[in-house]
Amino acid sequence: MDPKEHWENIYTTKDHTQVSWYAAHVSSTLDLFTDAQLDKDSRIIDVGGGASTLADDLLDKGYGNLSVLDISSTALDIARTRLGDRADQVRWMVGDLLNYDFGTYEFDVWHDRAVLHFLTLADDRKRYLDQLNARLTHGGFAILSVFADDGPIKCSGIEIVRSSESDLEDFLGAGFKTLFTKRTIHGTPGGVEQKFVHLVSQKS
């Protein structure tokens, strides 16, 4: 099953509030935005954002230049419906991040809680990094949240890549300066604990 088919199937056959990655409020991510002291007019993209409530909470906090990209149009439709009239305040992008044509769009903040740890092939991870580097402005922030090196070995039935803080730093390379890292535990709707590593880094 190709990635698009897999994620469309998830969002059309399951209650999105019961999938393992669901959170009514992604507080761990919101804390990262606060701790990084990001400007409210920052151009933000949430890659793999899907049906996440992050866009809702960022709008509530006064961030007004948001984009959400996901391979599943069904997931984005869920988020748009939930936001109602406020959905027009978000730019919605449907497609595979690895080959998505962003045109002239650039971003000051690249946030990912849902894509990188699913990329197990070196070529896919390189394509991801190429997209990040091409779209993120100089001085922009990369906010990456992935399964920790002592976290789960699968998610949604798919093998994942677990990472430490240094793994993420090595992945971004010398063109980025780490501002801070953090570890958190996500409680799934089913009561399982999943360990995450978070990295906030600035592009030089």
Side-chain angles (χ1 to χ4, degrees), residues 8 28 42 45 47 66 68 86 89 107 117 147 169 177:
E8 291 289 10
S28 59
S42 296
I45 184 166
V47 298
L66 308 180
V68 179
R86 295 201 299 168
Q89 299 177 46
F107 305 97
H117 49 220
F147 289 123
E169 290 176 329
K177 177 183 178 181

Side-chain angles (χ1 to χ4, degrees), residues 24-184:
H25 300 281
V26 192
S27 57
S28 59
T29 297
L30 295 173
D31 290 345
L32 299 176
F33 276 67
T34 299
D35 293 344
Q37 298 181 334
L38 301 177
D39 291 337
K40 293 298 176 66
D41 59 353
S42 296
R43 294 167 292 176
I44 299 168
I45 184 166
D46 183 20
V47 298
S52 169
T53 57
L54 180 61
D56 313 47
D57 288 334
L58 289 177
L59 288 173
D60 288 343
K61 289 183 174 294
Y63 294 94
N65 198 336
L66 308 180
S67 299
V68 179
L69 182 148
D70 201 271
I71 199 169
S72 169
S73 59
T74 303
L76 294 181
D77 285 343
I78 292 170
R80 276 195 291 251
T81 300
R82 186 183 62 241
L83 278 168
D85 292 341
R86 295 201 299 168
D88 291 339
Q89 299 177 46
V90 180
R91 180 182 296 113
W92 305 97
M93 301 174 169
V94 181
D96 185 340
L97 169 63
L98 299 185
N99 53 38
Y100 191 82
D101 182 3
F102 286 96
T104 60
Y105 286 126
E106 291 185 320
F107 305 97
D108 305 307
V109 180
W110 175 287
H111 171 259
D112 176 12
R113 181 179 175 259
V115 179
L116 182 58
H117 49 220
F118 283 112
L119 303 181
T120 60
L121 301 178
D123 183 60
D124 287 346
R125 293 175 74 85
K126 180 183 183 301
R127 290 162 65 195
Y128 177 105
L129 187 58
D130 287 345
Q131 287 279 55
L132 190 160
N133 277 316
R135 293 299 110 205
L136 188 63
T137 57
H138 292 290
F141 298 86
I143 301 178
L144 305 179
S145 299
V146 300
F147 289 123
D149 46 1
D150 57 351
I153 60 174
K154 285 187 176 183
C155 180
S156 188
I158 301 175
E159 299 285 344
I160 55 92
V161 175
R162 302 189 294 178
S163 301
S164 66
E165 293 86 346
S166 60
D167 290 333
L168 289 178
E169 290 176 329
D170 290 344
F171 172 73
L172 288 178
F176 286 81
K177 177 183 178 181
T178 298
L179 300 183
F180 60 90
T181 62
K182 188 175 183 180
R183 289 197 174 219
T184 62

